[in-house]
Amino acid sequence: MASLKDLRNRIASVKATQKITKAMQMVAAAKLRRAQEAAEAARPYAERMDAVLANLAAAFNGSQDAPKLMTGSGKDDVHLLVVATADRGLCGGFNNSIVKLAKEHVLRLQAQGKDVKILCVGKKGFDILRRDYGHLVIDTIELRDVKKIGFSHADEIAERLMGMFDDGEVDVCTLFYAEFQSVISQIPTAQQIIPVSVPEESEADPDGVSAELYEYEPGEAELLEALLPRNVSVQVFRALLENAASEQGARMSAMDNATRNAGEMIDKLTLKYNRQRQAQITTELIEIIAGAEAL
């Protein structure tokens, strides 16, 4: 049985931990608001980009003159999985849920005889994947020192992906991230970005306007050559922003649970301490009374 001093030390230790988790919860809540606003602001731009690409791609349906980023390399042998996670932990199951989806994708591709490569964006994803798939990881990109995600960060990643595609190192590139829904809900998402997965016209255009009503100047080919690389950067940027909001939401929820658990543990330890102290006082009183009676 723990002594009274040990119980006091444990109570003090848990109280100190509770202060830390409460502070982290408040910091995450402050960061979440800005990250959520940035993620929500990027969604309409990405959705409109999909709509424009769908309308432009309709003119190249089945054509051999379509850009390579839209049609692909003609092969489906080498798949690159870009796994975007956080650089820090203490955010519940946020990182594990994304990596779990990526692992399922790896197993499915390997069962089909495909060659798989993994590029990790975020240290925690690499820490989890290296246990089973460390030999597949080609590099890790860390954004730990970046205070605010900018388009330039996404553009650098996108240029690297397109460079590998142009050099024939990969045939298909899939991006894994968590789409922010709420503080308690982040949805792991897999999105093919190379070759560009062009949605159906009815799904892409939120206004329901037919492609025949648009006339483009310059021609569709020139626009696609400019927009397709831009779209890869936009989708990577959107994924980074969604991840940033999801990470803070998950951390806020995890720290709230940790704070509550610490409070419950403090109550249990305090009750145990009081009971043991009362028992010790009662024992001492009995010994004093017994000694007095003996005299």
Side-chain angles (χ1 to χ4, degrees):
M1 180 181 294
S3 64
L4 292 177
K5 182 179 179 181
D6 292 337
L7 288 174
R8 284 197 300 269
N9 290 338
R10 288 188 62 186
I11 292 173
S13 177
V14 176
K15 284 183 177 179
T17 302
Q18 186 184 40
K19 291 180 181 179
I20 295 173
T21 56
K22 184 63 177 179
M24 291 185 67
Q25 177 191 351
M26 296 175 66
V27 171
K31 291 183 177 180
L32 172 62
R33 182 178 179 182
R34 296 191 296 268
Q36 182 178 353
E37 290 175 353
E40 291 176 347
R43 289 174 184 172
Y45 187 84
E47 292 170 358
R48 177 55 63 179
M49 177 73 80
D50 286 339
V52 173
L53 288 178
N55 289 330
L56 287 171
F60 288 91
N61 190 16
S63 174
Q64 298 295 327
D65 298 330
K68 186 179 177 182
L69 271 176
M70 188 173 70
T71 60
S73 61
K75 299 183 295 181
D76 187 26
D77 299 330
V78 184
H79 287 250
L80 175 64
L81 309 185
V82 182
V83 184
T85 58
D87 285 297
R88 296 176 176 84
L90 298 177
C91 48
F94 167 72
N95 295 311
N96 284 319
S97 62
I98 299 174
V99 172
K100 180 181 178 182
L101 181 62
K103 285 182 176 181
E104 293 173 355
H105 205 73
V106 171
L107 292 175
R108 184 164 60 252
L109 290 174
Q110 289 181 336
Q112 297 172 1
K114 307 296 183 181
D115 203 3
V116 180
K117 298 179 180 179
I118 299 176
L119 175 64
C120 294
V121 180
K123 183 176 181 296
K124 288 301 176 180
F126 172 71
D127 290 343
I128 301 173
L129 283 169
R130 67 179 176 181
R131 303 168 191 167
D132 301 319
Y133 301 104
H135 60 289
L136 301 179
V137 178
I138 59 175
D139 197 7
T140 302
I141 299 174
E142 295 187 16
L143 301 174
R144 179 188 296 270
D145 298 329
V146 177
K147 294 184 178 180
K148 183 178 180 181
I149 298 294
F151 187 79
S152 59
H153 302 104
D155 200 35
E156 291 177 2
I157 298 173
E159 286 182 1
R160 179 171 181 178
L161 301 180
M162 289 185 289
M164 296 177 65
F165 177 71
D166 292 336
D167 295 339
E169 298 179 24
V170 298
D171 300 319
V172 179
C173 179
T174 305
L175 179 62
F176 293 84
Y177 64 98
E179 182 178 355
F180 178 80
Q181 294 292 321
S182 67
V183 174
I184 60 174
S185 176
Q186 302 87 34
I187 302 176
T189 304
Q191 179 183 3
Q192 180 179 310
I193 57 175
I194 299 178
V196 176
S197 179
V198 180
E200 296 295 331
E201 180 184 337
S202 59
E203 299 176 358
D205 198 332
D207 300 328
V209 181
S210 175
E212 284 85 3
L213 298 180
Y214 291 100
E215 291 184 2
Y216 294 99
E217 181 67 31
E220 289 86 348
E222 291 83 354
L223 284 174
L224 280 176
E225 288 290 346
L227 288 180
L228 285 173
R230 181 78 172 183
N231 179 66
V232 176
S233 299
V234 168
Q235 299 304 330
V236 173
F237 184 47
R238 178 188 179 182
L240 293 180
L241 292 179
E242 294 281 352
N243 255 14
S246 297
E247 177 190 351
Q248 298 304 330
R251 179 171 291 114
M252 179 181 171
S253 179
M255 292 300 100
D256 180 56
N257 291 334
T259 302
R260 293 175 185 272
N261 292 338
E264 293 176 1
M265 184 176 293
I266 290 171
D267 292 340
K268 291 179 180 178
L269 289 173
T270 302
L271 181 61
K272 185 177 181 181
Y273 172 82
N274 290 336
R275 285 177 175 174
Q276 188 168 329
R277 182 169 176 270
Q278 186 63 43
Q280 184 174 336
I281 292 173
T282 302
T283 302
E284 291 176 355
L285 288 174
I286 293 173
E287 291 176 353
I288 292 172
I289 295 172
E293 291 178 353
L295 294 175

